[in-house]
Amino acid sequence: MQTQIKNITPESLSEAKEIIEGGGVVAIPTETVYGLGGNAFDDNAVKKIFEVKGRPNDNPLIAHVHSGYDLSALVDYDPPYAKKLREAFCPGPLTLVYPSKGKVSKYVSCGLNTLAVRIPSHEGAQAFLKTVDIPIVAPSANLSRHVSPTSAKHVFDDFNGKIPLILDGGECAGGIESTVCDVTGDIPVILRPGLITKEMIEAVVGVCGEYTPNFQKGERVKSPGVLYKHYAPRCKTVWIEAKNAKNEISAYVAESLENKGIAVLCEEKRICEIEKIGVKCLNLGKNKAEMAMRLYKLLREAETLCDVLLVVEPEEKDGIMVGVLNRLKKACSSEDIQH
Ligand code: AMP
Ligand code: MG
């Protein structure tokens, strides 16, 4: 199969619609990362997405709809606070998990009785969703466990020859995946941190919980995606604590015969100091939004640049950095969490 990359035009949108209606998958841009989209009502299309990505079959998918789509067709209960959150943040990088009406393919939620729904704000995503006018399940368009894609080229690198069409909507401005927030209970609970922060949600509805899975008790976790190694570049990736970063990096450099194989990913303000050690630096950025936007691009660049990537713990920790740190730490962890 030939994989085509096309700009978003009326012609490419009708081609995409044809592929979707025929049960195929199309990669689409969103404001967070690129997604691998298929018809949420079609069992075979949903199974194909799991297959192409190599995604574990207990990690549910998010259904994407356009801003005019009638949510009540998909969800059983829509609490008043969820409406407020949608008014404040949707279309945008916020996914809400509702009690499901069970109308989409049973493979979407992997046996959970909930459904995650998002209304992306990216113009190209909206145009695509309006053209097809059905819910589209679209996990990040990367091979499972690999770094998420923020450009059409990243998608091509993972899926060349495996999918027919990538709609090119430029580089993703957000850079990390949506915040996933459960709205099945009395208060919203964040299952995965992202660009819409706990503080932003609290400012709208007064309260917001954060879910931490209890691995010990063997309970079924609320958001199975949190169990898996994710976002990992194809090079050894090591977390370095900020406080003794210089010493640790120097030790790595001294140990390696030629330090060509080592690169450091750090905040812009640390670049000067670390370059003095004589090691290549990748500039994560000078502010939080920049760090989120550059993160995946740099993790993919590291794959061709070095054998060992040393990730220096950023000093910035709050707001969207909660999501950035969550991704960075997962990229550095070597194993899936056993449960
Ligand atoms: P991805 O689309 O690859 O960024 O991953 C989607 C994320 O949403 C994963 O962490 C899933 O576990 C989570 N998710 C999707 N559907 C549900 C659901 N019904 N309940 C809880 N989490 C969900
Ligand atoms: Mg993903």
Side-chain angles (χ1 to χ4, degrees), residues 176-179 190-200 209-212 231 239 288-289 291-292 295-296 314-330:
I176 59 168
E177 296 84 349
S178 62
T179 302
I190 291 180
L191 304 178
R192 175 178 72 183
L195 295 167
I196 303 297
T197 64
K198 183 172 188 283
E199 295 74 25
M200 289 162 77
E210 272 172 305
Y211 175 68
T212 8
Y231 324 113
W239 181 256
K288 296 171 194 173
M291 291 194 240
L295 173 68
Y296 291 140
E315 244 174 53
E316 303 258 22
K317 296 266 188 310
D318 58 350
I320 61 171
M321 288 307 287
V322 175
V324 173
L325 288 167
N326 166 276
R327 309 313 193 267
L328 265 177
K329 284 195 174 160
K330 282 196 180 183

Side-chain angles (χ1 to χ4, degrees), residues 53 55 139-140 142 148 177 192 230-231:
K53 270 184 67 91
R55 185 175 177 101
S140 50
N142 53 282
S148 298
E177 296 84 349
R192 175 178 72 183
H230 265 84
Y231 324 113

Side-chain angles (χ1 to χ4, degrees), residues 5 171 247:
I5 301 183
E171 287 200 19
N247 290 344

Side-chain angles (χ1 to χ4, degrees), residues 9-327:
T9 61
E11 290 73 36
S12 65
L13 286 172
S14 53
E15 192 182 325
K17 182 174 158 85
E18 234 172 79
I19 296 169
I20 294 291
E21 286 175 352
V25 298
V26 173
I28 57 164
T30 81
E31 68 279 17
T32 58
V33 302
Y34 274 70
L36 194 61
N39 179 354
F41 294 125
D42 180 342
D43 284 350
N44 288 325
V46 178
K47 282 199 273 187
K48 195 176 285 174
I49 289 176
F50 279 93
E51 217 174 272
V52 176
K53 270 184 67 91
R55 185 175 177 101
N57 62 10
D58 63 352
N59 190 6
L61 305 179
I62 297 170
H64 295 69
V65 295
H66 63 74
S67 44
Y69 197 85
D70 177 15
L71 267 187
S72 68
L74 300 176
V75 312
D76 219 15
Y77 177 60
D78 182 16
Y81 73 80
K83 282 193 193 101
K84 282 193 190 165
L85 291 177
R86 285 201 306 280
E87 274 163 26
F89 304 119
C90 299
L94 178 66
T95 296
L96 299 179
V97 176
Y98 305 86
S100 176
K101 243 185 185 160
K103 299 290 183 199
V104 297
S105 161
K106 62 178 187 285
Y107 298 108
V108 170
S109 291
C110 308
L112 298 170
N113 55 10
T114 51
L115 178 66
V117 185
R118 177 172 160 227
I119 308 165
S121 63
H122 189 287
E123 239 177 72
Q126 278 291 321
F128 166 77
L129 291 166
K130 283 187 181 132
T131 303
V132 294
D133 201 22
I134 44 171
I136 293 291
V137 280
S140 50
N142 53 282
L143 290 168
S144 193
R145 295 173 169 77
H146 192 214
V147 181
S148 298
T150 54
S151 69
K153 165 147 192 329
H154 291 162
V155 181
F156 188 82
D157 289 345
D158 277 16
F159 294 115
N160 181 18
K162 297 192 182 119
I163 61 172
L165 178 62
I166 300 169
L167 291 177
D168 188 348
E171 287 200 19
C172 303
I176 59 168
E177 296 84 349
S178 62
T179 302
V180 178
C181 182
D182 181 293
V183 295
T184 62
D186 295 338
I187 61 161
V189 177
I190 291 180
L191 304 178
R192 175 178 72 183
L195 295 167
I196 303 297
T197 64
K198 183 172 188 283
E199 295 74 25
M200 289 162 77
I201 291 176
E202 280 168 346
V204 174
V205 294
V207 58
C208 176
E210 272 172 305
Y211 175 68
T212 8
N214 186 348
F215 301 114
Q216 268 70 45
K217 286 197 178 152
E219 68 178 67
R220 171 127 205 227
V221 294
K222 276 198 165 187
S223 191
V226 299
L227 293 173
Y228 294 106
K229 181 175 169 66
H230 265 84
Y231 324 113
R234 298 192 177 109
C235 56
K236 188 175 170 192
T237 312
V238 183
W239 181 256
I240 304 279
E241 281 183 20
K243 56 180 184 316
N244 44 14
K246 262 170 82 176
N247 290 344
E248 278 199 50
I249 294 166
S250 302
Y252 267 95
V253 172
E255 263 173 41
S256 79
L257 292 176
E258 34 170 349
N259 74 36
K260 189 166 104 237
I262 296 182
V264 172
L265 177 65
C266 63
E267 283 163 300
E268 183 163 311
K269 62 180 161 204
R270 297 207 72 162
I271 298 255
C272 266
E273 156 209 9
I274 291 171
E275 271 179 349
K276 283 191 192 133
I277 302 170
V279 69
K280 279 172 291 200
C281 281
L282 291 169
N283 181 356
L284 189 54
K286 58 183 170 310
N287 58 51
K288 296 171 194 173
E290 204 167 80
M291 291 194 240
M293 191 177 137
R294 288 186 186 177
L295 173 68
Y296 291 140
K297 188 177 174 198
L298 294 175
L299 289 178
R300 282 185 179 244
E301 271 176 35
E303 296 178 331
T304 47
L305 192 73
C306 62
D307 304 315
V308 182
L309 179 69
L310 306 177
V311 177
V312 179
E313 174 190 8
E315 244 174 53
E316 303 258 22
K317 296 266 188 310
D318 58 350
I320 61 171
M321 288 307 287
V322 175
V324 173
L325 288 167
N326 166 276
R327 309 313 193 267

